[in-house]
């Protein structure tokens, strides 16, 4: 196996980052981060309890007046410095991300880390553009304008599939807008969230602006969401857990942002470039070992291309190289845990009763047997209402179904509870335009699937949640809009007063 990032000394003081310092959790329970490629222990730490959450929220609350009172330029400068620190430490971040997640180093190096640095640089600029509506005399007698103000302490929960990027997506728009934050990363993958907070301190951000509590969802997570001093919750994760988060948050009238599950359709029309679509399907279904809520999971292929598409995708999947995430030739690493690997395998085994596994559908033996590996899997012959078509598998599994008419293809693409992302593959401009209009998803690609950029929003429709990450649209989540109205008449007894007392 390749080189591993050494973390035990770095986090010897604990896996909680509160008010600028690492500390140990107080729950009385420990958790071990495991390298999913080998099954070896990486770091054992004490989980956060409710007292740790309280301390983190208190630190964020203390930091809020100074940070929200800083000028946009001062916050921008701090984030520019943070981007520089992240760039200087890019290799460490990439190795730590691959170690805790099992993703190939080339993915961490070329996607996760540079994407996070770019996000940081984007929000450094966006911090100076928190603009409201221009002033005007809408009533005739008053001048109105809109202020955007920070709202307070944010309590966010991030998932394990992209720990670094998801931490950044939560933290950056919140603090760029002047808020302070307590982030709970997944207990499986806390390393890069903690490193991000440490980098922020190195960049000169005040203590308490960013706090990290690493604990179990039912303890630390629920206490954070329900905390009376937390004014907003942002959650990324499964739709089932998102419903529980919503229940707790609405009980205390918190602002809520949810980015939940996905089951992205990959719609291939009969005029598509077959080779481009097949390559795109393999890449989009296997990115991060399929543990991506925007990953292509349901390929609908118009019947004239269906058989050729299946054959080519199967051929390409069989060339994908499983192996050590740190080895240069590795294309696909393990899933995040053996439990997740077994969950994915169970979906495929159940599907054998009603569908055909064309390739894959196996847990490797030999040198990879100790890791949480699963071979790229292609399934055909499943019904639209079957489990593998309707449920989020979150693994390297692609299901291919045929369709006949354009109407049918679009209906099938929209026929799940989810609506996070989708793609359409066609050379026909009118087909492409129709697909982008009618696909019920927060992001629709044409002749590609997966790329994201900092300048554009990310968020879902339907059971995939609401609200946006990234882009200036994210400030809709993290700012309070205030209408300010000035009287311009200097008249004591105004005409409208007569509707309350007196005569004209």
């Amino acid at each position: 196996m390749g080189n591993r990032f050494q973390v035990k000394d770095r986090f010897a003081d604990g896996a909680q980052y509160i008010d600028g310092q690492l500390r140990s959790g107080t729950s009385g329970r420990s958790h071990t981060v495991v390298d999913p490629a080998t099954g070896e222990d990486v770091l054992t730490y004490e989980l956060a309890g409710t007292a740790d959450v309280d301390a983190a929220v208190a630190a964020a609350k203390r930091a809020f007046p100074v940070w929200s009172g800083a000028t946009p330029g001062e916050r921008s400068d701090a984030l520019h410095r943070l981007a520089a620190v992240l760039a200087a430490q890019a290799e460490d971040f990439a190795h730590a991300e691959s170690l805790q997640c099992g993703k190939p180093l080339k993915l961490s190096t070329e996607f996760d880390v540079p994407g996070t640095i770019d996000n940081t640089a984007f929000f450094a600029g966006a911090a100076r553009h928190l603009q409201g509506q221009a002033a005007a005399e809408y009533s005739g007698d008053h001048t109105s304008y809109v202020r955007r103000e920070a709202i307070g302490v944010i309590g966010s929960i991030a998932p394990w599939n992209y720990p670094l990027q998801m931490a950044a997506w939560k933290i950056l728009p919140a603090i760029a807008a002047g808020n302070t934050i307590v982030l709970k990363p997944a207990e499986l993958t806390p390393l890069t969230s903690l490193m991000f907070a440490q980098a922020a301190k190195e960049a000169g951000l005040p203590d308490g602006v960013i706090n990290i509590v690493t604990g179990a969802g039912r303890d630390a997570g629920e206490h954070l969401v329900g905390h009376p001093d937390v004014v907003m919750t942002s959650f990324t994760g499964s739709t089932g857990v998102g419903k529980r988060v919503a229940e707790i948050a609405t009980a205390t009238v918190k602002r809520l942002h949810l980015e939940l599950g996905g089951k992205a359709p990959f719609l291939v029309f009969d005029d598509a470039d077959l080779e481009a679509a097949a390559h795109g399907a393999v890449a989009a279904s296997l990115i991060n070992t399929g543990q991506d809520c925007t990953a292509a999971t349901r390929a609908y292929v118009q019947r004239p291309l269906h058989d050729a598409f299946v054959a080519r995708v199967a051929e390409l999947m069989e060339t994908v190289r499983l192996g050590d995430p740190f080895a240069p030739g590795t294309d696909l690493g393990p899933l995040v845990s053996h439990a997740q690997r077994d969950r994915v395998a169970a979906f495929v085994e159940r599907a054998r009763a009603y569908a055909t596994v064309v390739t894959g559908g196996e847990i490797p033996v030999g040198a990879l047997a100790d890791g949480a590996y699963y071979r790229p899997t292609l399934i055909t012959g499943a019904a639209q209402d079957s489990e593998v078509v309707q449920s989020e598998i979150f693994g390297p599994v692609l299901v291919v179904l045929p369709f006949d008419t354009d109407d049918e293809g679009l209906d099938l693409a929209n026929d799940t509870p989810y609506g996070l992302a989708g793609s359409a593959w066609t050379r026909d401009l009118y087909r492409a335009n129709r697909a982008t209009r009618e696909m019920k998803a927060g992001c629709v690609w044409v002749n590609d699937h997966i790329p994201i950029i900092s300048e554009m929003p990310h968020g879902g429709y339907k059971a995939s949640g609401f609200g946006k990450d990234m882009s200036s649209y994210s400030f809709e989540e993290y700012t309070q809009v205030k209408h300010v109205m000035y009287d311009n008449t200097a008249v004591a007894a105004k005409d409208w007063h007569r509707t309350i007392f007196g005569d004209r």
Side-chain angles (χ1 to χ4, degrees):
M1 291 291 181
N3 292 328
R4 295 294 189 263
F5 182 72
Q6 300 301 313
V7 298
K8 291 182 179 178
D9 291 340
R10 182 158 190 166
F11 299 111
D13 293 330
Q16 317 303 325
Y17 188 84
I18 299 171
D19 208 13
Q21 299 294 328
L22 286 173
R23 63 173 74 175
S24 186
T26 61
S27 70
R29 294 183 294 114
S30 63
H31 183 82
T32 299
V33 177
V34 174
D35 177 353
T38 64
E40 296 173 357
D41 294 351
V42 172
L43 176 71
T44 299
Y45 65 92
E46 297 299 315
L47 289 163
T50 56
D52 303 303
V53 173
D54 290 342
V57 173
K61 187 176 181 179
R62 287 192 301 272
F64 177 73
V66 172
W67 183 247
S68 62
T71 66
E74 289 168 337
R75 291 197 296 270
S76 175
D77 288 346
L79 290 177
H80 277 300
R81 294 193 301 270
L82 175 56
V85 172
L86 294 173
Q89 299 176 9
E91 184 176 357
D92 281 353
F93 273 96
H95 279 76
E97 194 78 335
S98 287
L99 176 63
Q100 66 181 352
C101 299
K103 60 183 67 183
L105 186 60
K106 67 178 180 179
L107 181 63
S108 297
T109 301
E110 298 179 28
F111 182 73
D112 297 70
V113 174
T116 300
I117 295 168
D118 186 71
N119 262 233
T120 307
F122 171 81
F123 279 107
R128 303 185 79 133
H129 296 279
L130 280 166
Q131 298 171 342
Q133 208 169 23
E137 287 68 48
Y138 293 100
S139 78
D141 291 334
H142 306 81
T143 297
S144 289
Y145 70 91
V146 171
R147 288 176 55 89
R148 284 193 178 274
E149 298 179 349
I151 57 177
V153 177
I154 313 300
S156 292
I157 300 175
W160 47 255
N161 58 332
Y162 291 100
L164 176 60
Q165 289 210 74
M166 295 297 99
W169 287 13
K170 302 299 182 196
I171 292 169
L172 291 169
I175 67 173
N179 302 288
T180 55
I181 190 168
V182 178
L183 175 78
K184 192 198 89 64
E187 56 267 40
L188 288 174
T189 55
L191 304 182
T192 47
S193 297
L194 293 164
M195 292 167 63
F196 188 92
Q198 290 175 312
K201 182 181 176 92
E202 188 173 334
L205 274 74
D207 291 346
V209 172
I210 301 172
N211 305 273
I212 310 292
V213 290
T214 309
R218 290 193 176 276
D219 301 324
E222 292 198 1
H223 190 64
L224 177 62
V225 173
H227 199 289
D229 289 332
V230 169
V231 298
M232 174 187 161
T233 290
S234 177
F235 170 80
T236 296
S238 71
T239 298
V241 177
K243 291 177 181 178
R244 175 61 179 157
V245 169
E247 290 173 2
I248 299 170
T250 53
T252 50
V253 200
K254 284 179 172 50
R255 186 176 295 194
L256 187 60
H257 169 214
L258 297 175
E259 200 260 87
L260 306 177
K263 192 70 177 173
F266 188 99
L267 187 60
V268 183
F269 293 98
D270 57 14
D271 68 325
D273 182 324
L274 177 62
E275 195 68 8
H279 278 81
V282 173
S285 62
L286 299 185
I287 185 172
N288 201 27
T289 320
Q291 299 165 125
D292 186 312
C293 49
T294 63
T297 60
R298 301 176 289 136
Y300 297 100
V301 184
Q302 208 151 23
R303 206 170 293 275
L305 286 186
H306 177 269
D307 291 351
F309 178 87
V310 169
R312 186 60 175 137
V313 168
E315 183 179 39
L316 290 171
M317 278 190 171
E318 288 166 6
T319 69
V320 173
R321 298 163 295 182
L322 275 69
D324 174 12
F326 292 89
T330 294
D331 297 320
L332 197 72
L335 287 105
V336 74
S337 67
H338 288 77
Q340 180 65 15
R341 192 259 331 258
D342 293 345
R343 178 181 178 275
V344 171
F347 269 101
V348 176
E349 290 309 305
R350 290 192 296 271
R352 292 184 192 276
Y354 56 81
T356 300
V357 177
V358 177
T359 189
E362 299 171 343
I363 296 173
V365 296
L368 302 180
D370 291 335
Y373 291 90
Y374 197 76
R375 294 199 183 282
T377 301
L378 179 64
I379 295 175
T380 61
Q384 176 66 14
D385 61 356
S386 63
E387 180 186 48
V388 290
V389 175
Q390 293 293 324
S391 298
E392 189 172 31
I393 299 172
F394 229 55
V397 179
L398 176 65
V399 184
V400 182
L401 298 88
F403 71 93
D404 291 303
T405 67
D406 289 13
D407 288 349
E408 180 190 10
L410 287 163
D411 286 345
L412 290 169
N414 288 326
D415 183 31
T416 72
Y418 301 107
L420 187 58
S423 63
W425 296 75
T426 177
R427 293 182 174 98
D428 187 311
L429 176 63
Y430 295 97
R431 270 178 161 169
N433 282 340
R434 182 185 177 191
T436 59
R437 289 194 309 272
E438 296 187 15
M439 290 179 84
K440 304 303 182 187
C443 177
V444 178
W445 295 279
V446 177
N447 295 328
D448 209 343
H449 191 119
I450 284 297
I452 53 175
I453 49 175
S454 298
E455 292 83 357
M456 289 290 111
H458 178 85
Y461 286 28
K462 303 189 293 183
S464 290
F466 47 82
K468 299 299 179 184
D469 289 312
M470 299 197 299
S471 81
S472 59
Y473 290 96
S474 64
F475 287 133
E476 301 292 336
E477 317 300 319
Y478 294 101
T479 56
Q480 192 76 266
V481 173
K482 178 186 287 184
H483 170 217
V484 178
M485 194 177 212
Y486 283 90
D487 170 59
N488 292 329
T489 67
V491 173
K494 296 178 171 58
D495 185 57
W496 72 266
H497 292 175
R498 66 184 174 80
T499 63
I500 312 302
F501 71 100
D503 299 318
R504 174 173 291 174

